[in-house]
Every structure is written in C-alpha cells, then in structure tokens.
Amino acid sequence: MKSQNLLIVTQKMDKNDPILGFFHGWVEEFSKNVEKLNVICLEKGSPREMSQGDNFAEGEIISQGSYNLPKNVQVFSLGKEQNKSKLKYIWNFYKYIFKLRKEYDAVFVHMNQEYVLLAGIFWKILGKKVMLWRNHQNGSWLTNIAVDMSDVVFCTSPSSYTFKFKKTKLMPTGINVEKFMLENEPTRVSGSILSMGRISSVKKIDVLVRALLHLDSKGFEFKVDIVGDRDPKEPQYYDLVKELAELLVKKGKIQFKDSVPNTKTPQEYFSHELFINLTSSGSLDKTIFSAMISGDLVLVCNTFFIGVLPEQFIFKDGDVYDLSSKIKAILEMDNFKKRKVIEEMKKYVMEKHSVSVTIKMIMNTI
C-alpha cells in the first residue's frame, strides 16, 4: 500500500474553512497510506506559523498556510487566493500535472468533475488510475463523460447522480472522529438546538423557523443557535429567514451566529442537545454525522437514515407540523432513552463513517 504515490485534486486546502476544512483531515489520513502525496487545489490558506495547539509530533509536520501536513505531502495552489484569472488556473493546472507526472501513480479528484474533463485523456495516456468522488444529486452529459474517463467513481448516497453507473462504489462520509474527542467538553445546554451550515434555500432554514414559531405559539421553551453565513448566490434568502425569525430573536429563543472555523465546530456541537438538518434526500450532509459523533441527538428528513435512526428522529421533508411535533417529543424524551440513542449513533459513525475507514476503502481500489 505504502509504495503508491498519489495526486489529489481538490477545491481548497485550509483547515479553518467552515465548509471545506474537513478535507485537511482526509489529506492527513491519505498521507499515512502512501509514500508521497501531491495536492493540487484551487485555493489554499494564508501563510502562518504552526501554533502550539497543533497535535503533531515534533519534526513530522510541514507548516504552510492554514494547513499542517506530514513531510510526504506537497500542496500546489492554482492561485485563487491571489485572484488569478481562470485562464491562469487552467495553465497552472496543466503545468502541475505535467511537472509532477513521475511523482504519482493514481489521481483522486474530489468533488469537481471539471478536472477529469480537462486531464482525463492525459492521465489515461500516462496510465494513471483516475478516481472521482462526486456526490451531487444532479448531473449532465458532462458528468457522464467524466465518469467514462474515470476508472472508479465514489459517492455516499444512492440518490447521487453517479450511483447508477457500474463503476460507482457507495462510500462512507469520512468523518474525522478524533477531532471530536475533546478533553474539556463544553456544558451541553438542556433544550438547546443547533443548525449548522451556509444559510441557503437548499438547507430550508425557513422551515425550521416556521416550526419553531409554531412551538412558541404553544408555549414550548427552547433555545436555538443558527450557525452559518449568508449564501452569496442567494443573499435574499438569508434576509427572508432573519425577517421570519424576528419575533423569536426578540424573545431570545433564536440566535444567528456567523460560521466558525472548521477546527472550532466540535465546541458548537458539544454545547447543544439537538441538531437539526433539513436538507432533502439526495446527498449526505457531513454535519449530521459530526453531530452524531459529538453526542447530539439528530433530527433529519433524509431518507438515507431510515433504518439507521429511530423513526421519531426522521421528519417529513418540508412538513412544519411534523418537524415541530418531533422537536418537542425528542426534547421531552427521558434521559435513559436519549443516552441509548446517542451511544448507538456514536458507535455507528465510528464503525461505518470514520475517515480512516473511508480512506482505506479508496486506497484498496488502486
């Protein structure tokens, strides 16, 4: 296994990024399974010194930007952090894959099919094995071509567009469980609810607010933190949600908070009792599994979790009243039942969805 050299192509290398910071842990895990690892990313973090809080053995880590990676890892940016043009991105991409061609045996493209479309033929000529991770529900003829140019495709959900292809393998979500092993856990506030992620229409935060308004009208007590930034693609949605929640904000029942660095997300999960995710079936939101391993109760509408979660932890997609009734039922559940569900969910994530399990499955396909 260690004799393999790997090239990874991804969006961003920045351990603090609220959305993509998780991939730093993936690269660390990949590095344990290869002799040499090169990473090409569209963007990387700003230069900084390694902090005293970084949990790595002395002499083992190269510190560059907001990522700390083992010595067998090199990171090459296409230049988005320097505001390079798209033509420059493409030029740099071709420059790196050619320059490094003798330093990798296989390629793992994470999330962006465009890189397979740009370089698939080049990699085939050189005999490089191409692995594409793509988990979007929608696809096109370009996706079909990218799949055809790949040797193997990975996705986490049967609802993914790529699941239908014979070369596709269904995968775990790849949660860095060690990140959620806190020495000093924050106090978990009883009756507290957390929503985490960019505030966009696909996340359906308006449905959550409407359910909370219904509970408030019945005199039910709760405290909700909605953590996430405005989606720049639809800024008006954030304004809609804030306006809808105005009464509950005034009552102190809802608080909107900016996104937090990926490295700080465990503190958010650990300080809440219930995590709610309203994303429809079709993809698997990593925040759900992060909440599980953190000891949160989770409430979802994704049909993937039928048979994984007890029935009372799955609500009807978009149904305000079903959501509100299940929030109330979960928060009023006796502590023994809560602890039992929490322990089962932690075990499930550890055994089925850890990053170590995920990376080993990927490496076994090379």
Side-chain angles (χ1 to χ4, degrees), residues 57-70:
E58 184 178 357
E60 291 186 353
I61 301 297
I62 293 175
S63 179
Q64 294 175 299
S66 50
Y67 53 93
N68 297 314
L69 296 166

Side-chain angles (χ1 to χ4, degrees), residues 243-277:
E243 183 178 352
L244 190 63
E246 186 176 0
L247 174 64
L248 297 178
V249 171
K250 288 180 179 178
K251 289 185 174 184
K253 287 189 165 185
I254 286 184
Q255 180 180 10
F256 287 86
K257 299 168 66 176
D258 293 338
S259 63
V260 297
N262 177 66
T263 52
K264 301 296 184 183
T265 54
Q267 285 82 355
E268 291 292 337
Y269 291 115
F270 273 89
S271 60
H272 293 82
E273 184 176 14
L274 174 63
F275 178 82
I276 301 178
N277 183 279

Side-chain angles (χ1 to χ4, degrees), residues 59-92:
E60 291 186 353
I61 301 297
I62 293 175
S63 179
Q64 294 175 299
S66 50
Y67 53 93
N68 297 314
L69 296 166
K71 289 182 177 180
N72 65 334
V73 182
Q74 291 188 88
V75 178
F76 302 87
S77 173
L78 300 184
K80 186 176 179 180
E81 72 279 1
Q82 299 173 7
N83 296 315
K84 301 290 186 182
S85 67
K86 289 186 178 180
L87 284 176
K88 187 65 174 178
Y89 298 162
I90 295 172
W91 170 261
N92 285 338

Side-chain angles (χ1 to χ4, degrees), residues 324-340:
S324 62
S325 67
K326 286 183 175 172
I327 291 173
K328 184 175 184 293
I330 291 171
L331 292 180
E332 291 180 340
M333 188 181 296
D334 71 67
N335 289 332
F336 176 79
K337 289 182 179 179
K338 287 179 181 178
R339 286 195 298 269
K340 183 179 180 182

